Amino acid sequence: MASKGAGMAFSRKSHRLTSDAEKSRVTGIVHEKLLDDYLHRIFSSTDRAPTAATSRKLLNFQNLPEHLDQLLHVDEEAEEEEESQGKVEGRLGPSTVVLDHTGGFEGLLLVDDDLLGVIGHSNFGTIRSTTCVYKGKWVYEVLISSQGLMQIGWCTINCRFNQEEGVGDTHNSYAYDGNRVRKWNVTTTNYGKAWAAGDIVSCLIDLDEGTLSFCLNGVSLGTAFENLSRGLGMAYFPAISLSFKESVAFNFGSRPLRYPVVGYRPLQDPPSADLVRAQELLGCFQAVLSVELDPVQGRLVEKESSEWQLQGQPTVLLTLAHIFHRFAPLLRKVYLVEAVLMSFLLGVVEAGTPAQAQSVVHQVLDLLWLFMEDYEVQDCLKQLMMSLLRLYRFSPIVPDLGLQIRYLRLTIAILSHEKSRKFLLSHVLFDVLRSVVFFYIKSPLRVEEAGLQELIPTTWWPHRSSREGKDSKEVKDETSEERLRRRAYERGCQRLKKRIEVVEELQVQILKLLLNNQDDNGGEASRYIFLTKFRKFLQENASSRGNMPMLCPPEYMVCFLHRLISALRYYWDEYKASNPCAAFSEEAYIPPQVFYNGKVDYFDLQRLGGLLSHLRKTLKDDLASKANILIDPLELQAATMDDLDEDEEPAPAAAQRPMQALAMGGALPLPRPSWLSSPTLGRANRFLSTAAVSLMTPRRPLSTAEKVKVRTLSAEQRTREDIEGSQWNEGLLVGRPPEEPEQPLTENSLLEVLDGAIMMYNLSVHQQLGKMVGVSDDVNEYAMALRDTEDKLRRCPKRRKDILAELTKSQKVFSEKLDHLSRRLAWVHATVYSQEKMQDIYWLLRVCLRTIEHGDRTGPLFAFMPEFYLSVAINSYSALKNYFGPVHSMEELPGYEETLTCLAAILAKHFADTRIVGTDIRDSLMQALASYVCYPNSLRAVERIPEEQRIAMVRSLLAPYEQRPWAQTNWILVRLWRGCGFGYRYTRLPHLLKTKPEDANLPSLQKPCPSTLLQQHMADLLREGPDVAPSFLNSVLNQLNWAFSEFIGMIQEIQQAAERLERNFVDSRQLKAWRVWTTTLFWWQ
């Protein structure tokens, strides 16, 4: 098969062989002397002294193969040694060393496809390698992916392990445990340093001296064990025991060791002969890029690699063909890609500017695609990206983040190459790799090694945490010393933030390349390939939600979301600049037709109105009248034939519906097409695709010949036209309701990216944002402990030196811990809680609010909206209010009051909306409204919504409790009156214990903030009719009756339990009854 290049193609055969007649013509391509100089310049060995022009052999394309064979010749002894790797003295087993997944393990483990990575899936699983050693000095490396409980080392084949005892817990097994900082061999003692995710542990065994030692990131931890058992029958296997969810990756020598140790051999020998050949060929290739032929002047011109251009000269083309004929097979090997090609490309990136590096990398990739077979280039690129990802993910954090920057710059240079980018997007980035790792900036667990002490020499921490905004912050006078410390700390935080922003900008550049939709020359544009893979990525993570292991860790998802929003808004505003009628990204929302026209796959995610099949059956008339979409009755029947809970629709009604649609300007459904009978589009995949629909554009009548039949395709089947649309097809926006504007907001593909970003937030981002607040809580707890200790020191009598010594020791420990945590908190604030990140979450909140408002206007079709839009609106507001303070306040955001009022209107209207049927989302709305009325700012927002909406909300709250959580309803009504009457006038009841600082913002602990306006609405409604007040009082008294009954029963149970001898506990049902009783008693008072 011929490889395709830029306008020309060379077969492998034509690179190698020519006829005798052709050879004479080849030598005459340029002057014989110039050709000889050129070939000697290119194919001169780096290890040999240059030969004088008078004594060297004349080189041409006839004798070049023979010259290359001599140049690439490797000593026969080295080749024979490489061919007999499995017979090396001191080693037993296969030459390719992997983990023994067939018999050398104990417990449940998940092993990667390459048999080098392993994840613990049981209490304490153990696995060993397929190769052992009994003589000599050997080393292997383990990349720590998680810093949990693991024991890494060596064992013999006679060692027996179980779920409680692993490597190091038996005789003749030895292990290092960096989690507990100990070494193990039946007994345990302190040893080494603590490891962290991303560290490399080198395991060394010297069977000549009988010693065993370990290194951490290339630094020796010292000899761990001596006097190892040796002799007949004693051979040691690399082995590991790891607990649940912990993961590592082994490198026995299949890739270059990150930290080689002089005198020690890797268990798997490197391809030494091939490595020598690859380095020689790379030198020849670099020489081609640095020399240019000038046939006119008859001389060689030295040039920079970034200025070199392939100009189609036959001499250069044939020279490169000879190089790649031998180089191409070598570039498929993992070891050589990482040791040779990766090193060369990283050198290019470091040597020049980004533009120069990109130019050279593009030239290299062009030549790879031109002179290598497609499968060879694809294997090479796959291995290259895997190595890049591994290096980026596990590189240590250095002060200037230089390692991460160089790997990202090389990634950008590779992805800037169109053909390579499309291949990697289609087959590697989402299918083979966790490419989301490229958008993650890991948090350093070792402050010293990350250089945070130099960046932030002065530490500071707030005296009290407050997340509710400026009005609720505790004002405390600072001393001059505290003010200086705080300002120095803030300057250090700014220095750290600027360095992190460099990495973030490079990550955004990668996503801009992946979202490019102008590179559709000869194929599909990158953006539409990305959309397909992105949707599949969302589906996999939505399906595995709550299951282990997670496909994409939440901390990765947070960073990916922020970079995606930056790239999305860039393209959105760029489209607006060239299309004045489009909307700015600040006005973005998802049009409601996206939720019911089936163009976007929402998998099995719940809709507001229930199951999609049920909605299509019950709302088909509304789809026909408002969106001009007719559901094919036969497809509808196929989609719901297993719904045993619903009665079949009567035939007369099904027959009448098309006539009704025709009267509204619609079209009769056409006969069922053959593609609807395909098993791949039938019941098996109906969760991926919706029913076939008939589309009628309401702006003009359609004749019979213009009827358009539209079917929904899965993400893999869609084309650019299916998303963006064409002249008579609105693509993603098919079925536009009358309430929506005709002019599109932006490109349809960007709408789908935005929809995916909102889904990402719902999947795991919000959860991770709440988790990262734990660092701030830790700072608060240690700060309180330090203040208490200092207070005790001041009050302690000087004569009690023993107590003073202990208190001083505690003070030192707390101060050191606070120094560490405050620097780590600076990192978290820069990467997770910065002002820019807050604005991203705020933008998502406003997008969701506008989307809900537009969806609400569609009437019953609002039920098609996925539930996660309401969840994201609620949760993103909670995150802005609770997670980003006190450094950043939501009140500083533009349009804060308007956004607060808009969310209040949505909560007030939809907490009792009959179109929303899901119990969980209804409870979430009610709880959000209950929390909303506890804070002055948000309660004022409720008072600002239109009067008719306020009255409707109060009417719903006073209505009898049907299909509604009455406990939350009571809470809302109580909060609206709290502080105006006898009960509930305290912030917290006097008999309660002192609360922690992190609990200060709980709704139940807020000061009373009654609303006289809403109280007046309640009074007016209760006086409105003769049945309103009695109905409300009846429901309250029924609750009171139930609460009294439960309370009496609970007291009796407690009394009976107290009379028993055994120990008893009060269960949650009893506590709930007490809370309900006390809450309901308010109304009786």
Side-chain angles (χ1 to χ4, degrees), residues 71-82:
L71 183 67
L72 303 178
H73 176 71
V74 180
D75 293 340
E76 294 183 1
E77 294 181 1
E79 287 203 85
E80 289 177 1
E81 180 182 352
E82 188 170 328

PDB file of all heavy atoms in Angstrom, residues 71-82:
ATOM      1  N   LEU A  71      27.311   1.837   7.800  1.00  0.00           N
ATOM      2  CA  LEU A  71      27.085   2.864   8.821  1.00  0.00           C
ATOM      3  C   LEU A  71      26.266   2.322   9.981  1.00  0.00           C
ATOM      4  O   LEU A  71      26.512   2.655  11.146  1.00  0.00           O
ATOM      5  CB  LEU A  71      26.373   4.068   8.187  1.00  0.00           C
ATOM      6  CG  LEU A  71      26.109   5.279   9.093  1.00  0.00           C
ATOM      7  CD1 LEU A  71      27.420   5.938   9.497  1.00  0.00           C
ATOM      8  CD2 LEU A  71      25.196   6.276   8.396  1.00  0.00           C
ATOM      9  N   LEU A  72      25.285   1.471   9.674  1.00  0.00           N
ATOM     10  CA  LEU A  72      24.381   0.955  10.698  1.00  0.00           C
ATOM     11  C   LEU A  72      24.813  -0.393  11.228  1.00  0.00           C
ATOM     12  O   LEU A  72      24.063  -1.046  11.957  1.00  0.00           O
ATOM     13  CB  LEU A  72      22.958   0.844  10.130  1.00  0.00           C
ATOM     14  CG  LEU A  72      22.350   2.132   9.575  1.00  0.00           C
ATOM     15  CD1 LEU A  72      20.966   1.869   9.016  1.00  0.00           C
ATOM     16  CD2 LEU A  72      22.279   3.190  10.673  1.00  0.00           C
ATOM     17  N   HIS A  73      26.014  -0.817  10.871  1.00  0.00           N
ATOM     18  CA  HIS A  73      26.477  -2.117  11.321  1.00  0.00           C
ATOM     19  C   HIS A  73      26.700  -2.109  12.832  1.00  0.00           C
ATOM     20  O   HIS A  73      27.289  -1.187  13.391  1.00  0.00           O
ATOM     21  CB  HIS A  73      27.784  -2.497  10.612  1.00  0.00           C
ATOM     22  CG  HIS A  73      28.378  -3.786  11.094  1.00  0.00           C
ATOM     23  ND1 HIS A  73      27.811  -5.012  10.810  1.00  0.00           N
ATOM     24  CD2 HIS A  73      29.484  -4.030  11.841  1.00  0.00           C
ATOM     25  CE1 HIS A  73      28.540  -5.973  11.372  1.00  0.00           C
ATOM     26  NE2 HIS A  73      29.564  -5.395  11.996  1.00  0.00           N
ATOM     27  N   VAL A  74      26.195  -3.159  13.495  1.00  0.00           N
ATOM     28  CA  VAL A  74      26.358  -3.317  14.934  1.00  0.00           C
ATOM     29  C   VAL A  74      27.157  -4.582  15.172  1.00  0.00           C
ATOM     30  O   VAL A  74      27.004  -5.575  14.449  1.00  0.00           O
ATOM     31  CB  VAL A  74      24.988  -3.403  15.641  1.00  0.00           C
ATOM     32  CG1 VAL A  74      25.166  -3.573  17.141  1.00  0.00           C
ATOM     33  CG2 VAL A  74      24.172  -2.155  15.341  1.00  0.00           C
ATOM     34  N   ASP A  75      28.029  -4.564  16.175  1.00  0.00           N
ATOM     35  CA  ASP A  75      28.849  -5.734  16.461  1.00  0.00           C
ATOM     36  C   ASP A  75      27.995  -6.983  16.557  1.00  0.00           C
ATOM     37  O   ASP A  75      26.906  -6.987  17.146  1.00  0.00           O
ATOM     38  CB  ASP A  75      29.598  -5.535  17.782  1.00  0.00           C
ATOM     39  CG  ASP A  75      30.629  -4.428  17.673  1.00  0.00           C
ATOM     40  OD1 ASP A  75      30.999  -4.111  16.532  1.00  0.00           O
ATOM     41  OD2 ASP A  75      31.037  -3.894  18.720  1.00  0.00           O
ATOM     42  N   GLU A  76      28.499  -8.053  15.978  1.00  0.00           N
ATOM     43  CA  GLU A  76      27.754  -9.312  15.993  1.00  0.00           C
ATOM     44  C   GLU A  76      27.504  -9.794  17.413  1.00  0.00           C
ATOM     45  O   GLU A  76      26.463 -10.367  17.714  1.00  0.00           O
ATOM     46  CB  GLU A  76      28.517 -10.374  15.197  1.00  0.00           C
ATOM     47  CG  GLU A  76      28.610 -10.070  13.707  1.00  0.00           C
ATOM     48  CD  GLU A  76      29.318 -11.175  12.951  1.00  0.00           C
ATOM     49  OE1 GLU A  76      29.701 -12.170  13.613  1.00  0.00           O
ATOM     50  OE2 GLU A  76      29.480 -11.042  11.734  1.00  0.00           O
ATOM     51  N   GLU A  77      28.448  -9.550  18.304  1.00  0.00           N
ATOM     52  CA  GLU A  77      28.264  -9.999  19.675  1.00  0.00           C
ATOM     53  C   GLU A  77      27.077  -9.303  20.324  1.00  0.00           C
ATOM     54  O   GLU A  77      26.290  -9.919  21.046  1.00  0.00           O
ATOM     55  CB  GLU A  77      29.529  -9.728  20.481  1.00  0.00           C
ATOM     56  CG  GLU A  77      30.728 -10.550  20.021  1.00  0.00           C
ATOM     57  CD  GLU A  77      31.958 -10.257  20.869  1.00  0.00           C
ATOM     58  OE1 GLU A  77      31.826  -9.435  21.808  1.00  0.00           O
ATOM     59  OE2 GLU A  77      33.010 -10.851  20.603  1.00  0.00           O
ATOM     60  N   ALA A  78      26.932  -8.005  20.056  1.00  0.00           N
ATOM     61  CA  ALA A  78      25.805  -7.267  20.627  1.00  0.00           C
ATOM     62  C   ALA A  78      24.489  -7.791  20.085  1.00  0.00           C
ATOM     63  O   ALA A  78      23.505  -7.929  20.813  1.00  0.00           O
ATOM     64  CB  ALA A  78      25.952  -5.773  20.320  1.00  0.00           C
ATOM     65  N   GLU A  79      24.447  -8.092  18.767  1.00  0.00           N
ATOM     66  CA  GLU A  79      23.219  -8.608  18.181  1.00  0.00           C
ATOM     67  C   GLU A  79      22.878  -9.979  18.730  1.00  0.00           C
ATOM     68  O   GLU A  79      21.718 -10.280  19.006  1.00  0.00           O
ATOM     69  CB  GLU A  79      23.343  -8.651  16.659  1.00  0.00           C
ATOM     70  CG  GLU A  79      23.275  -7.294  15.992  1.00  0.00           C
ATOM     71  CD  GLU A  79      22.841  -7.401  14.544  1.00  0.00           C
ATOM     72  OE1 GLU A  79      21.635  -7.431  14.303  1.00  0.00           O
ATOM     73  OE2 GLU A  79      23.730  -7.471  13.697  1.00  0.00           O
ATOM     74  N   GLU A  80      23.894 -10.826  18.871  1.00  0.00           N
ATOM     75  CA  GLU A  80      23.621 -12.155  19.402  1.00  0.00           C
ATOM     76  C   GLU A  80      23.128 -12.066  20.840  1.00  0.00           C
ATOM     77  O   GLU A  80      22.242 -12.804  21.259  1.00  0.00           O
ATOM     78  CB  GLU A  80      24.901 -12.999  19.337  1.00  0.00           C
ATOM     79  CG  GLU A  80      25.294 -13.391  17.911  1.00  0.00           C
ATOM     80  CD  GLU A  80      26.613 -14.154  17.877  1.00  0.00           C
ATOM     81  OE1 GLU A  80      27.176 -14.377  18.983  1.00  0.00           O
ATOM     82  OE2 GLU A  80      27.053 -14.506  16.779  1.00  0.00           O
ATOM     83  N   GLU A  81      23.693 -11.127  21.611  1.00  0.00           N
ATOM     84  CA  GLU A  81      23.238 -10.943  22.993  1.00  0.00           C
ATOM     85  C   GLU A  81      21.782 -10.485  23.022  1.00  0.00           C
ATOM     86  O   GLU A  81      20.987 -10.928  23.837  1.00  0.00           O
ATOM     87  CB  GLU A  81      24.135  -9.922  23.688  1.00  0.00           C
ATOM     88  CG  GLU A  81      23.739  -9.671  25.143  1.00  0.00           C
ATOM     89  CD  GLU A  81      24.604  -8.624  25.791  1.00  0.00           C
ATOM     90  OE1 GLU A  81      25.602  -8.208  25.170  1.00  0.00           O
ATOM     91  OE2 GLU A  81      24.282  -8.213  26.919  1.00  0.00           O
ATOM     92  N   GLU A  82      21.423  -9.591  22.085  1.00  0.00           N
ATOM     93  CA  GLU A  82      20.051  -9.088  22.044  1.00  0.00           C
ATOM     94  C   GLU A  82      19.075 -10.191  21.644  1.00  0.00           C
ATOM     95  O   GLU A  82      17.955 -10.259  22.130  1.00  0.00           O
ATOM     96  CB  GLU A  82      19.975  -7.911  21.073  1.00  0.00           C
ATOM     97  CG  GLU A  82      18.641  -7.192  21.092  1.00  0.00           C
ATOM     98  CD  GLU A  82      18.701  -5.910  20.293  1.00  0.00           C
ATOM     99  OE1 GLU A  82      19.778  -5.288  20.255  1.00  0.00           O
ATOM    100  OE2 GLU A  82      17.673  -5.550  19.705  1.00  0.00           O
TER     101      GLU A  82
END
